[in-house]
């Protein structure tokens, strides 16, 4: 850990903004190579960035929801894969904290928080994306064990995960089961060259009759989707939303910096009314997204019943803001935004993914519409 990152008063804590600034020059290279260096992952673990909102008693650093959000904004404004690592680790940790047994919490949560084990959230299948009730992966009880069989797609950091939280079906009821990556029958298929988040070491994972102890079931059968998976996805939406705020603000800074210095025909780009208006729209989108994320953080911190809907709204608006600002920033930068190492170009690709993961735009619109109907007089 570099001393420059240490937050005063916390010998083992790192300032996320300083850390993000230090790795910014390397992020494009990670994206091109399709991997985050192992030492960077270790640094994030030592810094307390993984499962950061877990209580101190569970091995975490006890960050507030606002603190978790700002962490994800700092990382998201530099590298979507770094934010994705915090997201997936936090999703699994949140599910175990809420629904795990005392033994599961004591055994796994400190390992997740300290980065001793990386986690994968294995829910999506070829026929089950937005509708996770359609999963066909099976978990069959056999004596004191559970046999897991199926194939999961698009598992973030699945290439590095030591444990997977798997959504499956058991005797007609949804279950969530923890499957260690080193169990016989588990096969990881690396995914490369996807549209965005190329450094997030995504994988498809096959479970070919993998046997795990029955104690690896997380919550009773029937709770796997409505409770365990819902908890994980809610945490994921929140961190993705804040990551999108970071992306939007980073793209705005890049566009404004270019417009303020680029001269064509003797006139700075910022001297054109059309360019200033475009930057104004970017500012409005980024600011609105940040405010909705801050509202979601406050609702979550207070345990408000409106917190789930507030998180859906924040993620929906922030993802669309990231996409819109990245698009406009690309127009301002022109050819410079198309360069191989362009942050704006990279975020243009990543932002499209943000509008799909943890609930696509269309799913969020339906959820928000149902929520809006409750406001009728």
């Amino acid at each position: 850990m570099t001393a420059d990152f240490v937050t005063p008063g916390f010998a083992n804590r790192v300032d996320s903004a300083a850390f993000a600034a230090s790795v910014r020059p390397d992020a494009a290279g990670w994206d091109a190579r399709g991997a985050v260096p192992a030492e960077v992952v270790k640094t994030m673990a030592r810094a307390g960035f993984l499962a950061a909102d877990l209580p101190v008693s569970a091995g975490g650093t006890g960050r507030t929801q606002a603190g978790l959000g700002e962490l994800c904004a700092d990382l998201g404004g530099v590298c979507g894969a770094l934010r994705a690592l915090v997201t997936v680790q936090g999703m699994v940790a949140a599910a175990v904290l809420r629904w795990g047994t005392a033994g599961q919490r004591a055994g796994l949560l400190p390992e997740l928080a300290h980065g001793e084990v990386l986690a994968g959230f294995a829910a999506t299948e070829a026929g089950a994306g937005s509708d996770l009730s359609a999963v066909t992966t099976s978990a069959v009880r056999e004596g004191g064990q559970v046999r897991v069989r199926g194939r999961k797609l698009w598992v973030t950091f699945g290439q590095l995960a030591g444990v997977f939280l798997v959504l499956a079906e058991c005797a007609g009821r949804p279950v969530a089961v923890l499957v260690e990556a080193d169990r016989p029958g588990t096969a990881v298929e690396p995914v490369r060259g996807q549209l965005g988040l190329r450094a997030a070491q995504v994988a498809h994972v096959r479970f070919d009759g993998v046997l795990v102890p029955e104690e690896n079931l997380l919550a009773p059968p029937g709770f796997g989707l409505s409770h365990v998976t819902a908890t994980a996805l809610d945490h994921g939406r929140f961190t993705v939303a804040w990551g999108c705020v970071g992306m939007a603000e980073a793209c705005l800074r890049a566009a404004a910096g270019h417009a303020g210095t680029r001269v064509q025909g003797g006139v700075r780009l910022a001297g054109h009314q059309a360019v200033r208006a475009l930057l104004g729209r970017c500012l409005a989108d980024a600011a609105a997204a940040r405010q909705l994320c801050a509202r979601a953080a406050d609702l979550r911190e207070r345990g408000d019943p409106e917190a789930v809907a507030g998180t859906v709204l924040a993620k929906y608006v922030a993802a669309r803001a990231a996409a819109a600002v990245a698009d406009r920033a690309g127009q301002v930068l022109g050819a410079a935004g198309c360069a191989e190492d362009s942050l704006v170009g990279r975020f243009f690709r990543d932002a499209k993914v943000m509008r799909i993961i943890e609930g696509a735009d269309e799913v969020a619109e339906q959820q928000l519409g149902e929520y809006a109907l409750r406001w009728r007089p």
Side-chain angles (χ1 to χ4, degrees), residues 120-147:
F121 180 61
T124 301
E125 298 179 6
S130 295
D131 179 16
L132 290 177
S133 65
V135 296
T136 60
T137 294
S138 62
V140 180
R141 281 174 157 158
E142 297 182 2
Q145 295 182 301
V146 176
R147 189 178 295 277

PDB file of all heavy atoms in Angstrom, residues 120-147:
ATOM      1  N   GLY A 120     -18.451 -14.847  -6.916  1.00  0.00           N
ATOM      2  CA  GLY A 120     -19.167 -14.698  -8.180  1.00  0.00           C
ATOM      3  C   GLY A 120     -20.654 -14.872  -7.925  1.00  0.00           C
ATOM      4  O   GLY A 120     -21.050 -15.732  -7.132  1.00  0.00           O
ATOM      5  N   PHE A 121     -21.458 -14.060  -8.569  1.00  0.00           N
ATOM      6  CA  PHE A 121     -22.910 -14.161  -8.455  1.00  0.00           C
ATOM      7  C   PHE A 121     -23.419 -14.846  -9.716  1.00  0.00           C
ATOM      8  O   PHE A 121     -23.397 -14.263 -10.800  1.00  0.00           O
ATOM      9  CB  PHE A 121     -23.533 -12.780  -8.292  1.00  0.00           C
ATOM     10  CG  PHE A 121     -25.032 -12.788  -8.160  1.00  0.00           C
ATOM     11  CD1 PHE A 121     -25.648 -13.451  -7.107  1.00  0.00           C
ATOM     12  CD2 PHE A 121     -25.828 -12.136  -9.095  1.00  0.00           C
ATOM     13  CE1 PHE A 121     -27.033 -13.458  -6.987  1.00  0.00           C
ATOM     14  CE2 PHE A 121     -27.198 -12.133  -8.976  1.00  0.00           C
ATOM     15  CZ  PHE A 121     -27.810 -12.802  -7.925  1.00  0.00           C
ATOM     16  N   ALA A 122     -23.847 -16.096  -9.591  1.00  0.00           N
ATOM     17  CA  ALA A 122     -24.196 -16.925 -10.745  1.00  0.00           C
ATOM     18  C   ALA A 122     -25.706 -17.107 -10.814  1.00  0.00           C
ATOM     19  O   ALA A 122     -26.265 -18.017 -10.196  1.00  0.00           O
ATOM     20  CB  ALA A 122     -23.490 -18.277 -10.650  1.00  0.00           C
ATOM     21  N   ALA A 123     -26.358 -16.237 -11.558  1.00  0.00           N
ATOM     22  CA  ALA A 123     -27.811 -16.294 -11.676  1.00  0.00           C
ATOM     23  C   ALA A 123     -28.263 -16.438 -13.120  1.00  0.00           C
ATOM     24  O   ALA A 123     -29.102 -17.269 -13.445  1.00  0.00           O
ATOM     25  CB  ALA A 123     -28.443 -15.046 -11.054  1.00  0.00           C
ATOM     26  N   THR A 124     -27.710 -15.649 -14.035  1.00  0.00           N
ATOM     27  CA  THR A 124     -28.160 -15.595 -15.419  1.00  0.00           C
ATOM     28  C   THR A 124     -27.903 -16.906 -16.163  1.00  0.00           C
ATOM     29  O   THR A 124     -26.862 -17.544 -15.980  1.00  0.00           O
ATOM     30  CB  THR A 124     -27.450 -14.444 -16.149  1.00  0.00           C
ATOM     31  OG1 THR A 124     -27.752 -13.215 -15.483  1.00  0.00           O
ATOM     32  CG2 THR A 124     -27.897 -14.354 -17.595  1.00  0.00           C
ATOM     33  N   GLU A 125     -28.852 -17.272 -17.006  1.00  0.00           N
ATOM     34  CA  GLU A 125     -28.712 -18.438 -17.874  1.00  0.00           C
ATOM     35  C   GLU A 125     -29.140 -18.055 -19.284  1.00  0.00           C
ATOM     36  O   GLU A 125     -29.658 -16.953 -19.512  1.00  0.00           O
ATOM     37  CB  GLU A 125     -29.583 -19.595 -17.357  1.00  0.00           C
ATOM     38  CG  GLU A 125     -29.204 -20.084 -15.975  1.00  0.00           C
ATOM     39  CD  GLU A 125     -30.114 -21.214 -15.493  1.00  0.00           C
ATOM     40  OE1 GLU A 125     -30.961 -21.685 -16.298  1.00  0.00           O
ATOM     41  OE2 GLU A 125     -29.972 -21.628 -14.327  1.00  0.00           O
ATOM     42  N   ALA A 126     -28.959 -18.969 -20.206  1.00  0.00           N
ATOM     43  CA  ALA A 126     -29.336 -18.701 -21.599  1.00  0.00           C
ATOM     44  C   ALA A 126     -30.811 -18.350 -21.726  1.00  0.00           C
ATOM     45  O   ALA A 126     -31.199 -17.507 -22.530  1.00  0.00           O
ATOM     46  CB  ALA A 126     -28.998 -19.912 -22.469  1.00  0.00           C
ATOM     47  N   GLY A 127     -31.653 -18.981 -20.926  1.00  0.00           N
ATOM     48  CA  GLY A 127     -33.086 -18.721 -20.983  1.00  0.00           C
ATOM     49  C   GLY A 127     -33.618 -17.965 -19.796  1.00  0.00           C
ATOM     50  O   GLY A 127     -34.833 -17.896 -19.580  1.00  0.00           O
ATOM     51  N   ALA A 128     -32.726 -17.391 -18.994  1.00  0.00           N
ATOM     52  CA  ALA A 128     -33.138 -16.679 -17.784  1.00  0.00           C
ATOM     53  C   ALA A 128     -32.234 -15.474 -17.583  1.00  0.00           C
ATOM     54  O   ALA A 128     -31.142 -15.587 -17.017  1.00  0.00           O
ATOM     55  CB  ALA A 128     -33.087 -17.599 -16.576  1.00  0.00           C
ATOM     56  N   GLY A 129     -32.697 -14.325 -18.089  1.00  0.00           N
ATOM     57  CA  GLY A 129     -31.952 -13.091 -17.905  1.00  0.00           C
ATOM     58  C   GLY A 129     -32.734 -12.157 -17.009  1.00  0.00           C
ATOM     59  O   GLY A 129     -32.630 -12.208 -15.783  1.00  0.00           O
ATOM     60  N   SER A 130     -33.574 -11.328 -17.616  1.00  0.00           N
ATOM     61  CA  SER A 130     -34.424 -10.449 -16.816  1.00  0.00           C
ATOM     62  C   SER A 130     -35.406 -11.255 -15.969  1.00  0.00           C
ATOM     63  O   SER A 130     -35.771 -10.850 -14.865  1.00  0.00           O
ATOM     64  CB  SER A 130     -35.186  -9.478 -17.730  1.00  0.00           C
ATOM     65  OG  SER A 130     -34.288  -8.596 -18.386  1.00  0.00           O
ATOM     66  N   ASP A 131     -35.852 -12.395 -16.488  1.00  0.00           N
ATOM     67  CA  ASP A 131     -36.773 -13.260 -15.752  1.00  0.00           C
ATOM     68  C   ASP A 131     -36.004 -14.412 -15.122  1.00  0.00           C
ATOM     69  O   ASP A 131     -35.887 -15.493 -15.697  1.00  0.00           O
ATOM     70  CB  ASP A 131     -37.862 -13.786 -16.691  1.00  0.00           C
ATOM     71  CG  ASP A 131     -38.851 -14.708 -15.978  1.00  0.00           C
ATOM     72  OD1 ASP A 131     -38.865 -14.696 -14.727  1.00  0.00           O
ATOM     73  OD2 ASP A 131     -39.601 -15.416 -16.662  1.00  0.00           O
ATOM     74  N   LEU A 132     -35.498 -14.186 -13.922  1.00  0.00           N
ATOM     75  CA  LEU A 132     -34.692 -15.203 -13.267  1.00  0.00           C
ATOM     76  C   LEU A 132     -35.515 -16.354 -12.719  1.00  0.00           C
ATOM     77  O   LEU A 132     -34.957 -17.373 -12.309  1.00  0.00           O
ATOM     78  CB  LEU A 132     -33.867 -14.569 -12.133  1.00  0.00           C
ATOM     79  CG  LEU A 132     -32.733 -13.639 -12.582  1.00  0.00           C
ATOM     80  CD1 LEU A 132     -32.047 -13.010 -11.379  1.00  0.00           C
ATOM     81  CD2 LEU A 132     -31.726 -14.398 -13.436  1.00  0.00           C
ATOM     82  N   SER A 133     -36.835 -16.220 -12.733  1.00  0.00           N
ATOM     83  CA  SER A 133     -37.668 -17.343 -12.299  1.00  0.00           C
ATOM     84  C   SER A 133     -37.601 -18.498 -13.288  1.00  0.00           C
ATOM     85  O   SER A 133     -38.055 -19.602 -12.982  1.00  0.00           O
ATOM     86  CB  SER A 133     -39.125 -16.901 -12.129  1.00  0.00           C
ATOM     87  OG  SER A 133     -39.691 -16.524 -13.375  1.00  0.00           O
ATOM     88  N   ALA A 134     -37.006 -18.257 -14.457  1.00  0.00           N
ATOM     89  CA  ALA A 134     -36.930 -19.287 -15.492  1.00  0.00           C
ATOM     90  C   ALA A 134     -35.645 -20.109 -15.425  1.00  0.00           C
ATOM     91  O   ALA A 134     -35.360 -20.884 -16.334  1.00  0.00           O
ATOM     92  CB  ALA A 134     -37.053 -18.642 -16.873  1.00  0.00           C
ATOM     93  N   VAL A 135     -34.856 -19.982 -14.350  1.00  0.00           N
ATOM     94  CA  VAL A 135     -33.605 -20.740 -14.278  1.00  0.00           C
ATOM     95  C   VAL A 135     -33.876 -22.242 -14.307  1.00  0.00           C
ATOM     96  O   VAL A 135     -34.885 -22.723 -13.787  1.00  0.00           O
ATOM     97  CB  VAL A 135     -32.793 -20.387 -13.005  1.00  0.00           C
ATOM     98  CG1 VAL A 135     -32.358 -18.933 -13.020  1.00  0.00           C
ATOM     99  CG2 VAL A 135     -33.560 -20.718 -11.743  1.00  0.00           C
ATOM    100  N   THR A 136     -32.979 -22.974 -14.943  1.00  0.00           N
ATOM    101  CA  THR A 136     -33.110 -24.432 -15.033  1.00  0.00           C
ATOM    102  C   THR A 136     -32.009 -25.167 -14.285  1.00  0.00           C
ATOM    103  O   THR A 136     -32.036 -26.399 -14.188  1.00  0.00           O
ATOM    104  CB  THR A 136     -33.097 -24.890 -16.501  1.00  0.00           C
ATOM    105  OG1 THR A 136     -31.867 -24.490 -17.112  1.00  0.00           O
ATOM    106  CG2 THR A 136     -34.275 -24.293 -17.262  1.00  0.00           C
ATOM    107  N   THR A 137     -31.006 -24.433 -13.777  1.00  0.00           N
ATOM    108  CA  THR A 137     -29.983 -25.070 -12.964  1.00  0.00           C
ATOM    109  C   THR A 137     -30.658 -25.777 -11.792  1.00  0.00           C
ATOM    110  O   THR A 137     -31.525 -25.198 -11.125  1.00  0.00           O
ATOM    111  CB  THR A 137     -28.975 -24.025 -12.443  1.00  0.00           C
ATOM    112  OG1 THR A 137     -28.269 -23.484 -13.565  1.00  0.00           O
ATOM    113  CG2 THR A 137     -27.982 -24.642 -11.480  1.00  0.00           C
ATOM    114  N   SER A 138     -30.275 -27.006 -11.537  1.00  0.00           N
ATOM    115  CA  SER A 138     -30.931 -27.802 -10.496  1.00  0.00           C
ATOM    116  C   SER A 138     -30.016 -27.991  -9.291  1.00  0.00           C
ATOM    117  O   SER A 138     -28.794 -28.055  -9.410  1.00  0.00           O
ATOM    118  CB  SER A 138     -31.336 -29.172 -11.035  1.00  0.00           C
ATOM    119  OG  SER A 138     -30.198 -29.906 -11.444  1.00  0.00           O
ATOM    120  N   ALA A 139     -30.646 -28.071  -8.122  1.00  0.00           N
ATOM    121  CA  ALA A 139     -29.962 -28.383  -6.876  1.00  0.00           C
ATOM    122  C   ALA A 139     -30.764 -29.493  -6.210  1.00  0.00           C
ATOM    123  O   ALA A 139     -31.864 -29.259  -5.703  1.00  0.00           O
ATOM    124  CB  ALA A 139     -29.880 -27.159  -5.974  1.00  0.00           C
ATOM    125  N   VAL A 140     -30.234 -30.695  -6.261  1.00  0.00           N
ATOM    126  CA  VAL A 140     -30.961 -31.872  -5.785  1.00  0.00           C
ATOM    127  C   VAL A 140     -30.344 -32.365  -4.487  1.00  0.00           C
ATOM    128  O   VAL A 140     -29.131 -32.613  -4.421  1.00  0.00           O
ATOM    129  CB  VAL A 140     -30.931 -32.995  -6.841  1.00  0.00           C
ATOM    130  CG1 VAL A 140     -31.687 -34.226  -6.338  1.00  0.00           C
ATOM    131  CG2 VAL A 140     -31.541 -32.495  -8.151  1.00  0.00           C
ATOM    132  N   ARG A 141     -31.163 -32.505  -3.473  1.00  0.00           N
ATOM    133  CA  ARG A 141     -30.680 -33.005  -2.189  1.00  0.00           C
ATOM    134  C   ARG A 141     -30.425 -34.507  -2.274  1.00  0.00           C
ATOM    135  O   ARG A 141     -31.269 -35.252  -2.763  1.00  0.00           O
ATOM    136  CB  ARG A 141     -31.700 -32.699  -1.093  1.00  0.00           C
ATOM    137  CG  ARG A 141     -31.643 -31.257  -0.602  1.00  0.00           C
ATOM    138  CD  ARG A 141     -32.753 -30.974   0.359  1.00  0.00           C
ATOM    139  NE  ARG A 141     -32.441 -29.852   1.243  1.00  0.00           N
ATOM    140  CZ  ARG A 141     -33.354 -29.145   1.876  1.00  0.00           C
ATOM    141  NH1 ARG A 141     -34.634 -29.433   1.745  1.00  0.00           N
ATOM    142  NH2 ARG A 141     -33.001 -28.139   2.664  1.00  0.00           N
ATOM    143  N   GLU A 142     -29.259 -34.904  -1.786  1.00  0.00           N
ATOM    144  CA  GLU A 142     -28.894 -36.323  -1.749  1.00  0.00           C
ATOM    145  C   GLU A 142     -28.288 -36.612  -0.389  1.00  0.00           C
ATOM    146  O   GLU A 142     -27.104 -36.395  -0.162  1.00  0.00           O
ATOM    147  CB  GLU A 142     -27.900 -36.659  -2.862  1.00  0.00           C
ATOM    148  CG  GLU A 142     -28.438 -36.460  -4.262  1.00  0.00           C
ATOM    149  CD  GLU A 142     -27.440 -36.847  -5.345  1.00  0.00           C
ATOM    150  OE1 GLU A 142     -26.331 -37.308  -4.964  1.00  0.00           O
ATOM    151  OE2 GLU A 142     -27.754 -36.674  -6.530  1.00  0.00           O
ATOM    152  N   GLY A 143     -29.126 -37.087   0.524  1.00  0.00           N
ATOM    153  CA  GLY A 143     -28.641 -37.304   1.873  1.00  0.00           C
ATOM    154  C   GLY A 143     -28.300 -35.989   2.514  1.00  0.00           C
ATOM    155  O   GLY A 143     -29.119 -35.079   2.579  1.00  0.00           O
ATOM    156  N   GLY A 144     -27.070 -35.847   2.956  1.00  0.00           N
ATOM    157  CA  GLY A 144     -26.642 -34.596   3.570  1.00  0.00           C
ATOM    158  C   GLY A 144     -25.921 -33.686   2.613  1.00  0.00           C
ATOM    159  O   GLY A 144     -25.234 -32.751   3.041  1.00  0.00           O
ATOM    160  N   GLN A 145     -26.079 -33.943   1.307  1.00  0.00           N
ATOM    161  CA  GLN A 145     -25.413 -33.114   0.301  1.00  0.00           C
ATOM    162  C   GLN A 145     -26.417 -32.564  -0.705  1.00  0.00           C
ATOM    163  O   GLN A 145     -27.586 -32.960  -0.730  1.00  0.00           O
ATOM    164  CB  GLN A 145     -24.340 -33.939  -0.422  1.00  0.00           C
ATOM    165  CG  GLN A 145     -23.191 -34.397   0.472  1.00  0.00           C
ATOM    166  CD  GLN A 145     -22.150 -35.160  -0.305  1.00  0.00           C
ATOM    167  OE1 GLN A 145     -22.438 -36.189  -0.914  1.00  0.00           O
ATOM    168  NE2 GLN A 145     -20.916 -34.663  -0.299  1.00  0.00           N
ATOM    169  N   VAL A 146     -25.937 -31.652  -1.539  1.00  0.00           N
ATOM    170  CA  VAL A 146     -26.737 -31.078  -2.616  1.00  0.00           C
ATOM    171  C   VAL A 146     -25.930 -31.193  -3.899  1.00  0.00           C
ATOM    172  O   VAL A 146     -24.757 -30.795  -3.942  1.00  0.00           O
ATOM    173  CB  VAL A 146     -27.086 -29.601  -2.343  1.00  0.00           C
ATOM    174  CG1 VAL A 146     -27.842 -29.000  -3.520  1.00  0.00           C
ATOM    175  CG2 VAL A 146     -27.905 -29.468  -1.061  1.00  0.00           C
ATOM    176  N   ARG A 147     -26.548 -31.732  -4.940  1.00  0.00           N
ATOM    177  CA  ARG A 147     -25.881 -31.867  -6.234  1.00  0.00           C
ATOM    178  C   ARG A 147     -26.377 -30.755  -7.165  1.00  0.00           C
ATOM    179  O   ARG A 147     -27.580 -30.652  -7.427  1.00  0.00           O
ATOM    180  CB  ARG A 147     -26.152 -33.231  -6.856  1.00  0.00           C
ATOM    181  CG  ARG A 147     -25.306 -33.504  -8.113  1.00  0.00           C
ATOM    182  CD  ARG A 147     -25.567 -34.890  -8.681  1.00  0.00           C
ATOM    183  NE  ARG A 147     -25.148 -35.951  -7.762  1.00  0.00           N
ATOM    184  CZ  ARG A 147     -23.908 -36.397  -7.665  1.00  0.00           C
ATOM    185  NH1 ARG A 147     -22.948 -35.870  -8.411  1.00  0.00           N
ATOM    186  NH2 ARG A 147     -23.615 -37.369  -6.815  1.00  0.00           N
TER     187      ARG A 147
END
